[in-house]
Short mmCIF file of all heavy atoms in Angstrom, two decimals:
data_model
loop_
_atom_site.label_atom_id
_atom_site.label_comp_id
_atom_site.label_asym_id
_atom_site.label_seq_id
_atom_site.Cartn_x
_atom_site.Cartn_y
_atom_site.Cartn_z
N MET A 197 190.13 110.39 82.48
CA MET A 197 189.53 110.81 81.21
C MET A 197 188.09 110.38 81.15
O MET A 197 187.81 109.18 81.07
CB MET A 197 190.34 110.23 80.01
CG MET A 197 191.83 110.55 80.06
SD MET A 197 192.73 109.99 78.63
CE MET A 197 192.55 108.19 78.77
N ASN A 198 187.17 111.35 81.16
CA ASN A 198 185.79 111.07 81.07
C ASN A 198 185.22 111.61 79.77
O ASN A 198 185.84 112.49 79.15
CB ASN A 198 185.07 111.70 82.28
CG ASN A 198 185.49 111.16 83.60
OD1 ASN A 198 185.86 110.00 83.72
ND2 ASN A 198 185.49 112.00 84.63
N GLY A 199 184.05 111.15 79.40
CA GLY A 199 183.45 111.66 78.18
C GLY A 199 184.32 111.50 76.96
O GLY A 199 184.40 112.40 76.11
N LEU A 200 184.97 110.35 76.83
CA LEU A 200 185.92 110.18 75.76
C LEU A 200 185.27 110.24 74.42
O LEU A 200 184.12 109.79 74.22
CB LEU A 200 186.66 108.84 75.95
CG LEU A 200 187.77 108.89 77.03
CD1 LEU A 200 188.16 107.51 77.48
CD2 LEU A 200 188.99 109.65 76.50
N LYS A 201 185.99 110.78 73.46
CA LYS A 201 185.53 110.93 72.07
C LYS A 201 186.45 110.22 71.13
O LYS A 201 187.66 110.01 71.47
CB LYS A 201 185.50 112.42 71.70
CG LYS A 201 184.67 113.31 72.64
CD LYS A 201 184.79 114.78 72.26
CE LYS A 201 183.97 115.65 73.19
NZ LYS A 201 184.08 117.08 72.80
N PRO A 202 186.00 109.82 69.98
CA PRO A 202 186.89 109.12 69.01
C PRO A 202 188.13 109.96 68.69
O PRO A 202 189.20 109.34 68.51
CB PRO A 202 185.99 108.96 67.78
CG PRO A 202 184.61 108.85 68.33
CD PRO A 202 184.60 109.79 69.50
N GLU A 203 188.03 111.27 68.73
CA GLU A 203 189.20 112.09 68.43
C GLU A 203 190.23 112.10 69.55
O GLU A 203 191.33 112.65 69.40
CB GLU A 203 188.79 113.53 68.11
CG GLU A 203 187.87 114.15 69.14
CD GLU A 203 186.39 114.09 68.73
OE1 GLU A 203 185.97 113.01 68.24
OE2 GLU A 203 185.67 115.06 68.89
N ASP A 204 189.90 111.49 70.69
CA ASP A 204 190.88 111.29 71.76
C ASP A 204 191.79 110.07 71.51
O ASP A 204 192.74 109.86 72.25
CB ASP A 204 190.21 111.11 73.12
CG ASP A 204 189.45 112.36 73.56
OD1 ASP A 204 189.97 113.47 73.39
OD2 ASP A 204 188.31 112.23 74.07
N THR A 205 191.46 109.30 70.49
CA THR A 205 192.27 108.12 70.19
C THR A 205 193.70 108.55 69.85
O THR A 205 193.92 109.38 68.96
CB THR A 205 191.67 107.36 69.01
OG1 THR A 205 190.38 106.87 69.39
CG2 THR A 205 192.55 106.22 68.57
N ALA A 206 194.65 107.95 70.56
CA ALA A 206 196.06 108.30 70.38
C ALA A 206 196.92 107.45 71.29
O ALA A 206 196.36 106.72 72.14
CB ALA A 206 196.30 109.78 70.70
N ILE A 207 198.20 107.53 71.10
CA ILE A 207 199.14 107.01 72.08
C ILE A 207 199.42 108.13 73.05
O ILE A 207 199.79 109.24 72.63
CB ILE A 207 200.45 106.49 71.44
CG1 ILE A 207 200.15 105.35 70.44
CG2 ILE A 207 201.40 106.00 72.50
CD1 ILE A 207 201.35 104.91 69.64
N TYR A 208 199.26 107.86 74.33
CA TYR A 208 199.45 108.87 75.37
C TYR A 208 200.80 108.62 76.03
O TYR A 208 201.11 107.48 76.49
CB TYR A 208 198.34 108.80 76.39
CG TYR A 208 197.06 109.40 75.90
CD1 TYR A 208 196.32 108.80 74.85
CD2 TYR A 208 196.58 110.59 76.43
CE1 TYR A 208 195.14 109.36 74.38
CE2 TYR A 208 195.41 111.20 75.94
CZ TYR A 208 194.72 110.57 74.91
OH TYR A 208 193.56 111.14 74.46
N TYR A 209 201.59 109.68 76.10
CA TYR A 209 202.94 109.61 76.66
C TYR A 209 203.02 110.44 77.95
O TYR A 209 202.65 111.63 77.97
CB TYR A 209 203.97 110.13 75.66
CG TYR A 209 204.10 109.33 74.40
CD1 TYR A 209 203.33 109.64 73.28
CD2 TYR A 209 204.97 108.27 74.34
CE1 TYR A 209 203.44 108.91 72.12
CE2 TYR A 209 205.05 107.49 73.16
CZ TYR A 209 204.32 107.84 72.03
OH TYR A 209 204.40 107.10 70.90
N CYS A 210 203.54 109.87 78.95
CA CYS A 210 203.81 110.54 80.20
C CYS A 210 205.17 111.21 80.12
O CYS A 210 206.09 110.67 79.50
CB CYS A 210 203.80 109.48 81.30
SG CYS A 210 204.63 109.93 82.82
N TYR A 211 205.34 112.37 80.68
CA TYR A 211 206.65 113.00 80.76
C TYR A 211 206.87 113.61 82.13
O TYR A 211 205.95 113.94 82.85
CB TYR A 211 206.81 114.06 79.66
CG TYR A 211 206.22 115.40 80.00
CD1 TYR A 211 206.99 116.40 80.62
CD2 TYR A 211 204.88 115.66 79.71
CE1 TYR A 211 206.43 117.64 80.95
CE2 TYR A 211 204.33 116.89 80.03
CZ TYR A 211 205.10 117.89 80.64
OH TYR A 211 204.58 119.10 80.96
N VAL A 212 208.19 113.76 82.43
CA VAL A 212 208.58 114.37 83.67
C VAL A 212 209.62 115.44 83.34
O VAL A 212 210.55 115.17 82.58
CB VAL A 212 209.21 113.37 84.64
CG1 VAL A 212 210.03 114.03 85.75
CG2 VAL A 212 208.16 112.48 85.26
N ALA A 213 209.41 116.65 83.89
CA ALA A 213 210.39 117.74 83.78
C ALA A 213 211.11 117.76 85.11
O ALA A 213 210.52 118.21 86.13
CB ALA A 213 209.72 119.04 83.46
N ALA A 214 212.35 117.29 85.13
CA ALA A 214 213.08 117.19 86.37
C ALA A 214 213.71 118.53 86.75
O ALA A 214 213.92 119.39 85.91
CB ALA A 214 214.15 116.13 86.25
N THR A 215 214.01 118.67 88.05
CA THR A 215 214.69 119.88 88.52
C THR A 215 216.07 120.02 87.92
O THR A 215 216.61 121.12 87.91
CB THR A 215 214.76 119.90 90.03
OG1 THR A 215 215.44 118.74 90.49
CG2 THR A 215 213.34 119.94 90.67
N SER A 216 216.60 118.92 87.45
CA SER A 216 217.95 118.97 86.80
C SER A 216 217.95 119.66 85.46
O SER A 216 218.97 120.02 84.93
CB SER A 216 218.47 117.55 86.61
OG SER A 216 217.61 116.83 85.70
N GLY A 217 216.71 119.83 84.93
CA GLY A 217 216.59 120.40 83.60
C GLY A 217 216.34 119.38 82.51
O GLY A 217 216.09 119.70 81.38
N ASN A 218 216.47 118.12 82.88
CA ASN A 218 216.22 117.03 81.92
C ASN A 218 214.74 116.72 81.88
O ASN A 218 214.01 116.82 82.88
CB ASN A 218 217.04 115.79 82.32
CG ASN A 218 218.51 116.02 82.21
OD1 ASN A 218 218.96 116.70 81.32
ND2 ASN A 218 219.28 115.42 83.11
N ASN A 219 214.36 116.25 80.70
CA ASN A 219 212.96 115.72 80.53
C ASN A 219 213.03 114.24 80.25
O ASN A 219 213.95 113.76 79.55
CB ASN A 219 212.27 116.44 79.38
CG ASN A 219 211.98 117.89 79.69
OD1 ASN A 219 211.83 118.26 80.85
ND2 ASN A 219 211.90 118.72 78.65
N TYR A 220 212.06 113.51 80.77
CA TYR A 220 212.00 112.06 80.58
C TYR A 220 210.64 111.68 80.05
O TYR A 220 209.63 112.28 80.44
CB TYR A 220 212.32 111.31 81.90
CG TYR A 220 213.66 111.70 82.48
CD1 TYR A 220 213.79 112.71 83.42
CD2 TYR A 220 214.80 111.02 82.04
CE1 TYR A 220 215.03 113.06 83.94
CE2 TYR A 220 216.04 111.39 82.58
CZ TYR A 220 216.14 112.40 83.50
OH TYR A 220 217.39 112.71 84.01
N TRP A 221 210.59 110.62 79.27
CA TRP A 221 209.35 110.17 78.65
C TRP A 221 209.08 108.73 78.96
O TRP A 221 209.99 107.89 79.01
CB TRP A 221 209.45 110.36 77.13
CG TRP A 221 209.50 111.78 76.71
CD1 TRP A 221 210.61 112.58 76.59
CD2 TRP A 221 208.40 112.62 76.40
NE1 TRP A 221 210.26 113.84 76.22
CE2 TRP A 221 208.93 113.92 76.10
CE3 TRP A 221 207.02 112.42 76.35
CZ2 TRP A 221 208.12 114.99 75.71
CZ3 TRP A 221 206.22 113.52 75.97
CH2 TRP A 221 206.75 114.76 75.70
N GLY A 222 207.76 108.40 79.06
CA GLY A 222 207.36 107.05 79.20
C GLY A 222 207.29 106.38 77.81
O GLY A 222 207.50 107.03 76.76
N GLN A 223 206.93 105.09 77.81
CA GLN A 223 206.95 104.32 76.57
C GLN A 223 205.66 104.52 75.79
O GLN A 223 205.58 104.16 74.62
CB GLN A 223 207.09 102.82 76.89
CG GLN A 223 205.85 102.11 77.38
CD GLN A 223 205.53 102.40 78.85
OE1 GLN A 223 206.19 103.17 79.53
NE2 GLN A 223 204.48 101.74 79.35
#
């Protein structure tokens, strides 16, 4: 992430879409 702006402030969550069809989320 370059050129960050105040409006980029947030909690960022990682996710994975697995081949099984399930989705998983980070903390």
Side-chain angles (χ1 to χ4, degrees):
M197 305 185 294
N198 299 328
L200 283 162
K201 304 176 181 180
E203 50 263 44
D204 294 318
T205 295
I207 299 174
Y208 284 69
Y209 296 92
C210 161
Y211 82 92
V212 163
T215 57
S216 64
N218 294 324
N219 292 333
Y220 301 94
W221 293 88
Q223 78 282 2

